[in-house]
Amino acid sequence: MDNQLDVLKALRQTRHDWLNVMQLIKGNLALKRYDRIEEIIDQVTQQSICESKISEIQAVSVVYFLLTYNWFSSKLKLEIDVAGDVFSLEKDEVRMLRLCEQITEKLTEGCSIESENNLLLTFLFTDIECKITFDFQGSLQMKKEDWLEFLNEWEPNVKLVEMDESECVLVARFMRS
């Protein structure tokens, strides 16, 4: 029964998301802003392509977490980008899920609800690795020192690349098997 309820929730959320897109298109159509309509369609197309690609990593719990994250979070909007030839990350599924959960939780706790907060996860697949960049843009109430314990736990696979009150960039690497 839980599985059926989960499917119904997913369908409801997907329908809601598509209705929002249709409202944007209708509004811009009424305003005769055809260039904006094309941008919206391009954004939705790109998002769908990335969601399709990320589904190919064969790490079901990670894919589920990423694709449903925005349904449950109001402080932080998550976007996904995927580049390169996708390969299986099944062997790293548990670690990758834990990493995604920990980073999003830490950023959610450290960001201000007063501003728009976005997290872009870019999966770059190369011949030897998958490099995941967590690029936060928004308002942060934390410092580099707040990441030390986390970084020590994940060393050498995760690095803090940039950190200030409006941006935080972390990079994680998972080797191809």
Side-chain angles (χ1 to χ4, degrees):
M1 187 67 162
D2 281 345
N3 190 34
Q4 290 176 339
L5 288 175
D6 289 344
V7 170
L8 291 174
K9 284 180 187 177
L11 289 171
R12 185 178 328 119
Q13 185 63 45
T14 301
R15 185 173 46 253
H16 176 78
D17 291 347
W18 277 107
L19 285 172
N20 285 343
V21 170
M22 296 308 291
Q23 287 295 327
L24 285 172
I25 291 172
K26 282 179 68 176
N28 283 289
L29 191 57
L31 296 171
K32 297 183 179 173
R33 295 181 58 201
Y34 305 113
D35 56 329
R36 180 64 184 126
I37 294 170
E38 191 170 340
E39 285 176 25
I40 293 166
I41 292 170
D42 288 345
Q43 286 173 342
V44 170
T45 301
Q46 185 60 34
Q47 178 184 350
S48 295
I49 289 168
C50 287
E51 288 176 357
S52 176
K53 280 184 166 185
I54 202 66
S55 297
E56 296 173 19
I57 67 171
Q58 299 173 4
V60 176
S61 62
V62 175
V63 174
Y64 177 83
F65 176 80
L66 296 175
L67 295 183
T68 62
Y69 182 83
N70 290 325
W71 300 355
F72 306 108
S73 175
S74 59
K75 283 182 76 175
L76 183 64
K77 182 181 181 222
L78 179 70
E79 294 181 49
I80 302 165
D81 192 18
V82 181
D85 293 328
V86 176
F87 54 81
S88 174
L89 294 167
E90 184 177 18
K91 70 174 178 61
D92 293 310
E93 180 174 4
V94 173
R95 286 179 49 240
M96 189 177 292
L97 176 62
R98 201 171 103 239
L99 177 69
C100 291
E101 288 173 339
Q102 287 179 352
I103 290 176
T104 54
E105 182 178 320
K106 198 157 189 59
L107 289 169
T108 299
E109 289 172 0
C111 71
S112 169
I113 198 161
E114 310 288 318
S115 65
E116 185 176 316
N117 300 295
N118 297 294
L119 178 61
L120 174 62
L121 261 71
T122 302
F123 288 75
L124 176 60
F125 289 87
T126 67
D127 290 340
I128 60 170
E129 69 181 1
C130 173
K131 181 170 93 172
I132 306 171
T133 302
F134 296 79
D135 187 353
F136 173 88
Q137 302 285 321
S139 178
L140 275 177
Q141 300 162 341
M142 54 192 311
K143 298 178 175 26
K144 283 184 182 180
E145 296 78 32
D146 297 328
W147 288 98
L148 291 179
E149 185 179 330
F150 168 84
L151 291 169
N152 286 336
E153 176 187 345
W154 285 94
E155 193 70 39
N157 296 350
V158 179
K159 302 279 186 215
L160 180 62
V161 177
E162 190 166 332
M163 175 78 201
D164 61 36
E165 64 275 349
S166 62
E167 182 175 27
C168 179
V169 179
L170 295 116
V171 175
R173 297 180 186 284
F174 293 89
M175 300 309 292
R176 185 176 198 155
S177 53

